[in-house]
Amino acid sequence: MRLFASLLCALLLSVAPAFSQTQLAATPPMGWNSWNHFAAHVTDADVRSAADALVSTGMRDAGYVYVNVDDTWQGKRDAQGVLHPNERFPDMKALGDYIHSKGLKFGIYSGPGEKTCGGYAGSLGHEEQDAKMYASWGVDFLKYDLCSFQDNMHKAQAEHPNDPNAANNLMIAAYRKMGDALKATGRPIVYSLCQYGVDQPWKWGPGLGANMWRTTDDIDDSYGRMIAIGFSQAGLSKYAGPGHWNDPDMLEIGNGKMTADEYKTHMSLWVILAAPLLAGNDLSTMTEADKSLLMNKDAIAIDQDSLGKQGDRLYESGDLDVWTKPLSGGRVAVGLFNRSWSVREVSVDLGQIGFPNGGSVRDVWEKKDLGHRSGVVVETLPKHGAALLIVGK
Ligand code: GLA
């Protein structure tokens, strides 16, 4: 009996991963991803220089540790079904080793379909084989992008016209399949679903081991698109928490098409949302302004707060918007936003956010303690501007 018990115990230990979904992403993952800047042209050298820059700029030490190669690294599958990288990526294991040697983590990209969005090989029918290969390369993060699998979903729906869930069930099964394959490798690999918010992934993502899921279609480097995504996140806060995060897509800060105030809005909103912070710019050409947004300690601490609560909208009034995020120690982060084309005053009543007797207020972007304040705090914001405050007892 005792022998049986210890055998059973040994068996369980050998199959159960030595890490939990929560530990894998106790706070929203932070790092860099190649897509927003390099898109389909990314090379091994670009990724190595991003890794170098994460270290030299201080971003790694500020928390940005994942170095994620997005779409277009893939070459062809051989007769055994093994997927090889293309000529721009001579040796993925060596790339992973290089990234790890810098104290960083290695991320990769695939999808459940036959093809990725860029038309490169996806993992359909090769899920376990690919997962094992990623683990052998030392991969720490997988972004799994729906793309051509939507064709399979349309087909399933056409074949089962009376089942309204046919397409979505097929999609969920495909995401579960890769989630199980990753777990079976025994390597802790953050699992990031990219399926643009189809069928409310915040409801089923956590159940299949996902650590984050995109909530919307793609961001681009424009104020209009960024705020359309950011402010549409209202109401989703209850679905995020340690180990499982809503992902409103990667950052565009530093890509050059928004103003400094617009990028400030971007960062303020993403940290209030407890969003994964994946920089999407060319780190080797960052300006001081980009660095001060991406590496502001208080802003990062809001995003990474140990309570793991996503923020949500407090109120919206025309082009003015105020959001709050509960923080550890009874503190609250407040994001004040002016979406209009002129200077406007935006206010928050401290009584309304849990401080009837007022509280200490810190201005995150000004890096200034404003002292004890009570009642209504008013911020004067430029067009498309934002302020970020931390209120404590
Ligand atoms: C989709 C994703 C993007 C990026 C591209 C790559 O559009 O949403 O984030 O990964 O595919 O092809």
Side-chain angles (χ1 to χ4, degrees), residues 33 35-36 70-72 109 116-118 143 145 147 194 196 214 216-218 249-250:
N33 173 294
W35 185 254
N36 284 356
D70 206 275
D71 201 359
T72 78
Y109 167 102
T116 65
C117 295
K143 172 174 170 182
D145 194 354
C147 252
C194 178
Y196 338 117
R214 281 270 297 277
T216 72
D217 215 332
D218 292 15
D249 207 356
M250 304 170 290

Side-chain angles (χ1 to χ4, degrees), residues 109-140:
Y109 167 102
S110 188
E114 201 183 317
K115 297 266 182 246
T116 65
C117 295
Y120 288 69
S123 291
L124 184 65
H126 297 274
E127 293 82 0
E128 283 169 19
Q129 189 175 25
D130 287 359
K132 279 190 193 141
M133 182 177 69
Y134 303 148
S136 76
W137 290 346
V139 161
D140 306 295

Side-chain angles (χ1 to χ4, degrees), residues 144-161:
Y144 207 48
D145 194 354
L146 189 63
C147 252
S148 78
F149 197 76
Q150 288 168 113
D151 299 341
N152 305 48
M153 292 164 64
H154 293 145
K155 209 165 145 229
Q157 200 58 70
E159 281 165 5
H160 301 93

